[in-house]
Amino acid sequence: MSDLLRDLWYFAASSEELRTGAMFRREILGEPVLLGRDRTGKAFAMRDICPHRAVPLSAGRIVENEGVQTVECPYHGWRYGAGDGVCKMIPSLVEGQNYEPGRIRVRHYPTHEANGIIFIYVAADPRFEGEPPPPPQFDLRDLTKPKFIVHRIFAANMDNAVVGLMDPAHVPYVHSQWWWRPPSTGKKLKEKRFVPRERGWAIERHAPSSNSLGYRALFGGEVTTEICFMLPGFRWEVVETPKVRLFTLTCLTPENENSTRITQVTYWQNAPLLDVLKPILVPAGLEFLDQDGRMVDLQNEGLKYTQSMLMIDDIDVQAKWYQRLKKEWQKSRDENREFVNPIEPVTLRWMS
Ligand code: FES
Ligand SMILES: [Fe+2]
């Protein structure tokens, strides 16, 4: 059985990817998912398999059926409600054939669109019909439109992808490009206060690392940053001064057990310098992801022979927390109770 977490919202796509009246297929948690936007502009998601003969519905088209937005299967034209996955019409039926199309349903995923990104709720029960819990809140406030979005697919399971993302000790080795933190900056003692928050934790607001040239050049003196993590795989970092706000949201979504989509959504406000730099920030963002991606590929070379890894203090404490949070999430589901965050506030120290 898969140990991917369910009963949670996952990042599915950017708003820009979903054009009105169009749809496409994307693998999410081991299922083919049709992501689409109906002709009224509403984003929707359903399992991309026609219950009749298993043809991908995303190869069909979006049509209105008696006032309802539906997806029409390309094979025999059955139509499924975009909003509920219920079959609305079987065109071959003739009078006297009392087959009730409404008895057939495609799995349908609750969908939430805000701040230029789209989330779907992946319930443990594929027949889930109720009201999903509230979608994730990242305190984006009025950052309504991403400045840019980059993504990569990592050949890693969700856990290794998440752990790689939160690992503080790899930065001076993997991300040591001259414009970010050249090796000459050396390592410094980092000491950060971590506090539990919702389904994860936050590094309390602090001045950014003094060996990060990039932030200093862009924001000057009075800058603070806050970094948060939340299950199933969201990490966000806010860098701000009283005026400027830079927000980077990283979303991890498993495609399946061996492959994970990593999407980095970047917003900012009142930062004309960043607007000017945008043409180089996009390739820079991709380079960061690729640096991590190459390390994941190397890691796979070792994982062919062993699954064992070491976790040491304090650099791997966050990785341990992630495992504990996952366990608690699963346990709270199994016991049908509220999730209780197992993390205690603590100051972690390391050299990086
Ligand atoms: S396969 Fe979809 S309608 Fe027949
Ligand atoms: Fe990294």
Side-chain angles (χ1 to χ4, degrees):
M1 173 62 190
S2 146
D3 73 352
L4 297 173
L5 299 182
R6 283 154 220 273
D7 292 338
L8 287 165
W9 290 89
Y10 282 89
F11 170 89
S14 69
S15 294
E16 242 177 43
E17 285 178 295
L18 287 189
R19 282 173 299 111
T20 302
M23 48 191 173
F24 61 88
R25 179 186 180 92
R26 181 161 284 175
E27 190 182 16
I28 298 178
L29 277 87
E31 287 284 341
V33 177
L34 173 165
L35 297 168
R37 191 184 293 287
D38 70 23
R39 296 191 189 278
T40 71
K42 201 173 170 337
F44 67 93
M46 59 174 77
R47 190 163 185 250
D48 196 20
I49 300 180
C50 179
H52 182 215
R53 291 276 202 282
V55 159
L57 292 167
S58 58
R61 56 184 191 135
I62 297 177
V63 287
E64 195 185 295
N65 186 79
E66 293 180 354
V68 177
Q69 294 288 311
T70 64
V71 174
E72 184 186 85
C73 179
Y75 205 174
H76 312 95
W78 295 18
R79 292 178 174 177
Y80 302 92
D84 59 9
V86 176
C87 186
K88 310 289 181 197
M89 212 256 294
I90 298 180
S92 63
L93 292 178
V94 296
E95 231 183 87
Q97 293 174 342
N98 292 328
Y99 197 84
E100 183 41 62
R103 281 169 38 197
I104 305 165
R105 254 189 55 187
V106 184
R107 176 173 190 177
H108 157 262
Y109 298 88
T111 305
H112 174 76
E113 180 168 21
N115 306 90
I117 41 183
I118 294 162
F119 300 89
I120 63 168
Y121 179 69
V122 182
D125 174 8
R127 276 174 297 274
F128 173 82
E129 264 307 293
E131 215 18 71
Q137 291 299 330
F138 305 111
D139 193 29
L140 279 157
R141 289 180 243 160
D142 46 357
L143 295 169
T144 46
K145 201 173 171 304
K147 294 287 187 180
F148 68 91
I149 301 180
V150 290
H151 85 274
R152 282 291 188 250
I153 308 288
F154 281 5
N157 66 31
M158 180 70 169
D159 292 355
N160 288 338
V162 171
V163 165
L165 182 75
M166 61 184 48
D167 166 12
H170 79 294
V171 179
Y173 294 91
V174 178
H175 306 296
S176 60
Q177 51 272 42
W178 65 266
W179 46 266
W180 181 247
R181 49 161 307 156
S184 61
T185 47
K187 296 182 194 62
K188 290 209 165 68
L189 172 69
K190 303 285 162 58
E191 192 161 354
K192 283 174 186 158
R193 183 80 185 154
F194 288 73
V195 291
R197 194 173 294 174
E198 211 181 334
R199 288 189 311 274
W201 63 86
I203 303 180
E204 273 184 344
R205 202 161 277 280
H206 60 284
S209 155
S210 60
N211 48 9
S212 163
L213 285 181
Y215 284 168
R216 241 191 316 174
L218 287 170
F219 296 93
E222 268 175 280
V223 47
T224 59
T225 84
E226 186 179 55
I227 299 172
C228 305
F229 174 81
M230 184 168 72
L231 285 183
F234 298 112
R235 181 190 188 272
W236 61 104
E237 180 163 356
V238 197
V239 184
E240 60 190 339
T241 70
K243 217 178 108 227
V244 186
R245 197 146 184 262
L246 167 66
F247 198 112
T248 315
L249 170 65
T250 308
C251 307
L252 280 84
T253 306
E255 287 195 309
N256 53 54
E257 298 292 340
N258 307 308
S259 173
T260 303
R261 173 179 298 267
I262 173 159
T263 310
Q264 200 150 52
V265 192
T266 305
Y267 307 81
W268 64 73
Q269 208 168 32
N270 301 327
L273 186 55
L274 289 177
D275 289 321
V276 174
L277 287 174
K278 191 170 141 180
I280 59 169
L281 291 176
V282 176
L286 277 171
E287 176 59 16
F288 261 87
L289 291 185
D290 286 338
Q291 288 167 341
D292 290 322
R294 285 194 288 271
M295 214 38 73
V296 161
D297 292 340
L298 276 177
Q299 185 179 48
N300 285 334
E301 292 304 313
L303 292 176
K304 282 183 200 161
Y305 303 93
T306 178
Q307 289 300 310
S308 88
M309 297 195 214
L310 297 173
M311 300 264 193
I312 74 159
D313 291 340
D314 284 350
I315 51 166
D316 298 327
V317 169
Q318 295 176 79
K320 289 191 231 176
W321 284 345
Y322 167 68
Q323 293 296 349
R324 283 177 61 194
L325 287 163
K326 270 187 72 181
K327 228 176 248 155
E328 163 58 13
W329 179 258
Q330 201 43 59
K331 210 156 171 257
S332 71
R333 299 292 89 196
D334 295 344
E335 296 170 1
N336 201 7
R337 60 166 171 79
E338 284 289 305
F339 170 84
V340 183
N341 191 321
I343 296 170
E344 301 278 347
V346 67
T347 298
L348 299 181
R349 302 165 76 234
W350 67 86
M351 293 293 290
S352 72

